[in-house]
């Protein structure tokens, strides 16, 4: 590394230590009141918005293993937010359905998330929010290419 780049690296480390590592906590907070992680909320949201969703559908869409999604879904089932219904034509295939309790939780969490997001827009404005989003997408693409 060129020595003149060290202050830039130090600045990135400082920002990470003082801000970015807390971003996950900030994003996850609305779901915590319902004893869910943000990832579990996103699964609940996916099932709320779509019919005939299976565990494999979610795993494929998120590009993760079946077991990773299964662990998340177990929490949602245990909390009473989801239930499983066998396919009439293939009893081995289980559809995930949102319970009334799950639908209520999803709505409440979504409202909290929307309020937080609106707060971000109030601070940064629409244009800056799009610039931040574009940067994150670019960063993600470059990172994925290097794997």
């Amino acid at each position: 590394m060129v020595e003149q780049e060290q202050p830039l690296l130090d600045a990135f480390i400082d920002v990470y230590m003082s801000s970015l590592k807390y971003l996950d906590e900030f994003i996850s907070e609305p779901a915590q009141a319902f004893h869910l992680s943000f990832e579990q909320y996103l699964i609940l949201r996916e099932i709320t918005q779509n019919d005939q969703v299976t565990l494999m559908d979610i795993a494929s869409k998120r590009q993760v293993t079946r077991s990773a999604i299964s662990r998340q879904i177990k929490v949602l089932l245990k909390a009473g937010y989801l239930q499983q219904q066998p396919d009439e034509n293939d009893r081995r295939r289980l559809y995930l359905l949102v319970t009334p309790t799950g639908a209520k939780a999803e709505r409440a969490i979504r409202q909290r998330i929307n309020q937080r997001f609106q707060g971000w827009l109030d601070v940064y404005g629409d244009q800056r929010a799009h610039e931040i989003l574009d940067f994150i997408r670019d960063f993600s693409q470059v990172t994925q290419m290097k794997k």
Side-chain angles (χ1 to χ4, degrees):
M1 174 185 332
V2 178
E3 205 166 305
Q4 65 193 29
E5 294 172 349
Q6 189 63 43
L8 183 58
L9 174 59
D10 291 343
F12 271 93
I13 291 170
D14 288 344
V15 166
Y16 172 77
M17 294 303 293
S18 64
S19 305
L20 292 179
K21 72 179 187 177
Y22 300 109
L23 186 58
D24 183 50
E25 287 177 32
F26 184 76
I27 290 172
S28 297
E29 189 276 330
Q32 288 174 352
F34 293 86
H35 308 290
L36 297 177
S37 68
F38 190 66
E39 183 67 26
Q40 291 160 346
Y41 162 71
L42 292 176
I43 291 169
L44 180 62
R45 178 178 157 223
E46 174 82 17
I47 296 165
T48 300
Q49 293 177 346
N50 297 290
D51 293 329
Q52 297 190 324
V53 176
T54 66
L55 186 146
M56 285 306 298
D57 295 334
I58 296 168
S60 294
K61 185 173 183 177
R62 298 194 186 297
Q63 299 178 344
V64 297
T65 64
R66 184 182 189 278
S67 62
I69 295 300
S70 180
R71 286 189 297 273
Q72 304 294 339
I73 287 176
K74 281 182 185 176
V75 171
L76 293 165
L77 289 167
K78 188 175 180 181
Y81 296 146
L82 295 181
Q83 62 185 21
Q84 295 177 317
Q85 177 183 355
D87 183 329
E88 292 178 11
N89 299 320
D90 182 355
R91 308 286 293 165
R92 296 169 296 170
R93 184 178 176 98
L94 296 174
Y95 293 117
L96 298 165
L97 304 173
V98 176
T99 65
T101 302
K104 183 178 178 181
E106 190 281 329
R107 245 185 335 272
I109 296 167
R110 182 172 15 102
Q111 288 173 345
R112 290 176 179 199
I113 289 170
N114 287 343
Q115 288 171 344
R116 279 202 166 196
F117 184 69
Q118 186 58 53
W120 288 358
L121 287 179
D122 292 345
V123 170
Y124 293 110
D126 194 58
Q127 181 178 346
R128 184 118 188 256
H130 277 89
E131 290 169 359
I132 293 168
L133 182 59
D134 289 343
F135 171 76
I136 293 170
R137 283 182 177 147
D138 184 54
F139 181 83
S140 180
Q141 286 176 349
V142 169
T143 303
Q144 294 300 317
M145 291 185 332
K146 292 190 181 234
K147 283 186 174 182

